[in-house]
Amino acid sequence: TFGPSDAFFTVLSRSRKTLYTSKVITDPNPKFRESTTFHYSEDNRTVGIWVWDRDTITSNDLVGKCEEVDLLSLVDRPNYVLNLVDERNRPSGQLVITVSAQRQEPQQPFTVAQPTTAYSGRPAGMQLAGGPRQPSSMTIEVQEGRDLPSRDMYGANDAFFTIISRGGTTLYTSRVIKDANPKFRESVTVPFTEENSVVNIFVWDRDSYTSSDLVGKAEGIELMSLLNGSSHVLNLVDDRRRPSGQLVVSVSAAYESRQAASFKATASATPETITVDVIEGIDLPSRDLFGGNDAFFTIVSRSGKAVYTSKVHQEANPRFKEKATFQYTEDTRTISILVWDQDTLSSNDLIGQAENIDPLSLTNRPNHVLSLLDERGRPSGKLVVSITAAYREAQTVTHTVPPAPAPVTVAPAVADTYSIEVVEGRNLPSRDTFGPSDAFFTVVSKSGKTLYTSKVITDPNPKFRETATFVVSEDTAVIHLYAWDKDTLTSNDLIGKAENIDPSSLAGRRDQMVHLVDDRGRPSGQLIVNVTAAFRREAASQTFGPTPPRLAAAAAA
């Protein structure tokens, strides 16, 4: 608006990867005199050069651009004038550039004479097993941000960064620093895996009342390419791929011996149970209209089954201090933790989630901070967790052959009927406009046949204490529980459901908590149930061992 532009330029590859960003010069005819060198590849055969006006409070403005610049065609044309155009392809100034190329000389083939008499330590031509060593872990240090544009209406950003793996797992979230050039000096060490070999770094502006705003991002960072012991400047871009500041980072690696790696692979064991201790939530954004949350969390398995639901805490930084212990199975090899805001009159609101967590990778990292993301992938607070694993001890069992027992006739026990007592409902969200739901439940068979319908109780935590008894059959091997809100003038509203319940898995276990979900798979309260089984004896019998004479005579009589 006033005076010349604060001009700088960027060089972009064909795939829009930023190859270079210049310094800022306040002049209508800036003397840049800056050069960049990069490897010539298929992605760099043509480049785009963009000139920008640096803005402190808002996003940078495009001054002009020249796209699809064929570099080889300009090698022998010094001080070539590029004509720039704006976003509407109108002339917008010129750039004077010079392009040079360094050609790689062809190398002569060479041979290595093999020793004939001297011993070389291993037979000629023998390769070390395992190929080149791979790092066991990588340490990423984010040192500082530079020239980060403000996303706040007044002043600098409340800046923080997140590091996310190729698979979308949040590896680290930094603290918040209010500065246009924040000195982070924070590092994170992660196991070197295929998923973690390439990461994305996002810089955000922390907002107290709304979701965080993206300041800039650097995507597709190959960690191995930064292993040279020096600091690297990453050029950030905003959502529209415009330059948006820089991050200074360094990467180091740790290696382990082949013997240690071999021993680790040999000694690995599968745990029997996993215990997740959710200690507290940090900086959870409010989802209520008047501040604060009624916060609770759920732990969900890979298939979407709710493994645990916590109680509700009315705090911005809730101290959960709750532990969930579950069997380590194929379905719980990865879990997700979702934090919700409990609503009485409507469905619960998602505060944030951490998905695809490998519990075993966190077993030796107490008080680990999980970064939460909202439904749009933006940072949304943190959870502090500790995870432990319990392993089954290897036992030596000595088998002895007992003397031949007397014949025993055993009739196998087969469940004849199941009785399901629904004790109460907990935290059932209201489906009425005013006040709690008029709640009742139904028990439904696999084919959809209603086996039982309870009475109606107007209470968010109804004490049902009703029992449904049914005969065991193919159709009742799996049942469904539904909680409804009774409406007089319209159809009943679904409060929540728990489907595909195997009654035999709950038989004999008192006060089992069944987690309900709504039509969109979101947590929607719980039901407390007791399941008992009535057994019958089959007429068929099985005889083990030889039959003594006295029992044989008794049987004949």
Side-chain angles (χ1 to χ4, degrees):
T1 304
F2 305 101
S5 296
D6 301 314
F8 68 98
F9 69 86
T10 58
V11 181
L12 304 179
S13 69
R14 181 183 296 179
S15 64
R16 297 298 185 187
K17 181 179 179 181
T18 303
L19 303 175
Y20 187 76
T21 300
S22 74
K23 65 178 183 285
V24 178
I25 300 178
T26 306
D27 196 318
N29 299 300
K31 308 293 185 183
F32 290 114
R33 296 191 177 91
E34 296 188 43
S35 62
T36 177
T37 301
F38 48 84
H39 291 286
Y40 185 72
S41 65
E42 184 65 30
D43 192 33
N44 301 336
R45 289 180 183 274
T46 61
V47 299
I49 304 179
W50 302 56
V51 181
W52 303 87
D53 170 40
R54 175 69 178 176
D55 284 335
T56 307
I57 307 298
T58 61
S59 298
N60 301 321
D61 299 316
L62 178 66
V63 176
K65 60 183 178 180
C66 184
E67 298 182 298
E68 300 294 333
V69 180
D70 185 357
L71 297 179
L72 289 184
S73 65
L74 303 183
V75 168
D76 296 324
R77 305 169 70 178
N79 297 329
Y80 184 80
V81 177
L82 292 177
N83 295 303
L84 306 178
V85 295
D86 62 13
E87 291 177 339
R88 299 175 61 183
N89 286 324
R90 298 174 298 186
S92 189
Q94 298 87 35
L95 271 185
V96 181
I97 69 170
T98 297
V99 179
S100 60
Q102 181 179 0
R103 291 176 171 82
Q104 183 177 2
E105 296 295 333
Q107 297 181 353
Q108 296 296 326
F110 63 93
T111 59
V112 177
Q114 298 293 338
T116 55
T117 56
Y119 179 63
S120 63
R122 64 178 182 270
M126 179 179 177
Q127 299 293 325
L128 285 175
R133 292 178 66 193
Q134 293 290 334
S136 59
S137 63
M138 306 284 280
T139 299
I140 308 166
E141 180 185 10
V142 178
Q143 299 170 358
E144 62 177 323
R146 295 178 181 174
D147 301 326
L148 301 181
S150 175
R151 296 291 184 258
D152 278 343
M153 188 175 297
Y154 306 101
N157 292 315
D158 301 310
F160 69 99
F161 68 85
T162 57
I163 301 176
I164 298 179
S165 70
R166 176 189 293 175
T169 302
T170 301
L171 303 175
Y172 189 76
T173 299
S174 75
R175 70 184 188 279
V176 177
I177 301 179
K178 190 175 183 65
D179 198 320
N181 299 295
K183 308 292 185 183
F184 291 113
R185 297 191 179 92
E186 296 189 41
S187 61
V188 58
T189 300
V190 298
F192 184 73
T193 62
E194 179 66 25
E195 181 181 346
N196 297 342
S197 62
V198 177
V199 300
N200 308 313
I201 303 181
F202 295 80
V203 180
W204 304 87
D205 169 42
R206 175 70 180 175
D207 286 334
S208 301
Y209 299 103
T210 60
S211 297
S212 302
D213 300 316
L214 178 67
V215 176
K217 59 184 177 181
E219 298 179 299
I221 305 168
E222 297 183 2
L223 297 182
M224 293 294 288
S225 66
L226 304 183
L227 278 177
N228 57 9
S230 60
S231 299
H232 299 268
V233 177
L234 299 178
N235 296 302
L236 306 178
V237 296
D238 61 13
D239 282 332
R240 298 174 61 184
R241 308 298 299 178
R242 298 175 298 186
S244 192
Q246 298 88 34
L247 271 186
V248 181
V249 304
S250 63
V251 178
S252 58
Y255 297 85
E256 64 181 8
S257 66
R258 298 190 191 280
Q259 291 83 357
S262 176
F263 176 78
K264 182 185 295 184
T266 303
S268 62
T270 301
E272 184 177 7
T273 60
I274 295 290
T275 299
V276 180
D277 182 8
V278 179
I279 301 169
E280 63 177 326
I282 300 175
D283 298 331
L284 301 182
S286 174
R287 294 291 184 259
D288 279 344
L289 189 58
F290 303 102
N293 290 308
D294 301 312
F296 69 98
F297 68 85
T298 57
I299 301 176
V300 181
S301 69
R302 180 186 298 181
S303 66
K305 179 182 178 182
V307 177
Y308 186 82
T309 300
S310 76
K311 63 188 179 201
V312 177
H313 296 255
Q314 295 178 332
E315 300 175 59
N317 298 301
R319 305 278 182 175
F320 291 113
K321 294 178 180 171
E322 296 191 39
K323 295 182 179 181
T325 300
F326 49 87
Q327 295 291 323
Y328 185 74
T329 64
E330 185 65 31
D331 192 33
T332 56
R333 286 183 182 274
T334 59
I335 60 174
S336 301
I337 303 180
L338 298 90
V339 181
W340 303 87
D341 169 41
Q342 171 78 46
D343 285 335
T344 306
L345 302 179
S346 61
S347 297
N348 301 322
D349 299 317
L350 177 67
I351 297 175
Q353 57 189 349
E355 297 182 299
N356 300 321
I357 304 167
D358 180 5
L360 291 186
S361 66
L362 303 182
T363 51
N364 295 322
R365 301 166 71 178
N367 297 328
H368 181 74
V369 178
L370 291 176
S371 300
L372 305 178
L373 304 177
D374 63 13
E375 291 176 338
R376 299 175 61 185
R378 298 172 299 187
S380 191
K382 297 178 273 288
L383 270 186
V384 181
V385 303
S386 293
I387 298 180
T388 57
Y391 293 84
R392 181 183 292 122
E393 295 293 337
Q395 297 180 355
T396 302
V397 181
T398 303
H399 295 278
T400 59
V401 180
V408 179
T409 301
V410 178
V414 178
D416 188 26
T417 61
Y418 280 116
S419 296
I420 298 182
E421 179 191 11
V422 178
V423 181
E424 62 177 320
R426 293 182 183 175
N427 304 319
L428 301 183
S430 176
R431 296 294 184 255
D432 281 342
T433 305
F434 305 101
S437 297
D438 302 313
F440 68 98
F441 70 86
T442 58
V443 182
V444 180
S445 70
K446 183 193 299 185
S447 64
K449 179 182 177 181
T450 300
L451 304 174
Y452 187 81
T453 300
S454 76
K455 65 179 182 288
V456 177
I457 301 178
T458 305
D459 195 318
N461 300 298
K463 307 293 184 181
F464 291 114
R465 296 191 177 92
E466 297 191 41
T467 302
T469 301
F470 52 88
V471 177
V472 176
S473 66
E474 181 66 27
D475 191 33
T476 58
V478 173
I479 62 170
H480 316 298
L481 290 177
Y482 295 87
W484 302 89
D485 169 42
K486 179 69 173 176
D487 285 335
T488 306
L489 302 179
T490 60
S491 299
N492 300 324
D493 300 317
L494 177 68
I495 297 175
K497 59 185 177 181
E499 297 180 307
N500 300 320
I501 301 171
D502 180 5
S504 64
S505 66
L506 301 179
R509 300 165 64 183
R510 299 290 299 174
D511 295 334
Q512 287 296 301
M513 180 180 290
V514 176
H515 300 281
L516 305 178
V517 296
D518 62 13
D519 282 332
R520 298 174 61 185
R522 300 174 298 186
S524 192
Q526 302 88 35
L527 286 179
I528 306 300
V529 303
N530 294 320
V531 179
T532 56
F535 295 91
R536 69 177 184 271
R537 292 292 179 179
E538 294 288 355
S541 62
Q542 299 177 3
T543 301
F544 303 92
T547 304
R550 285 185 300 170
L551 291 180

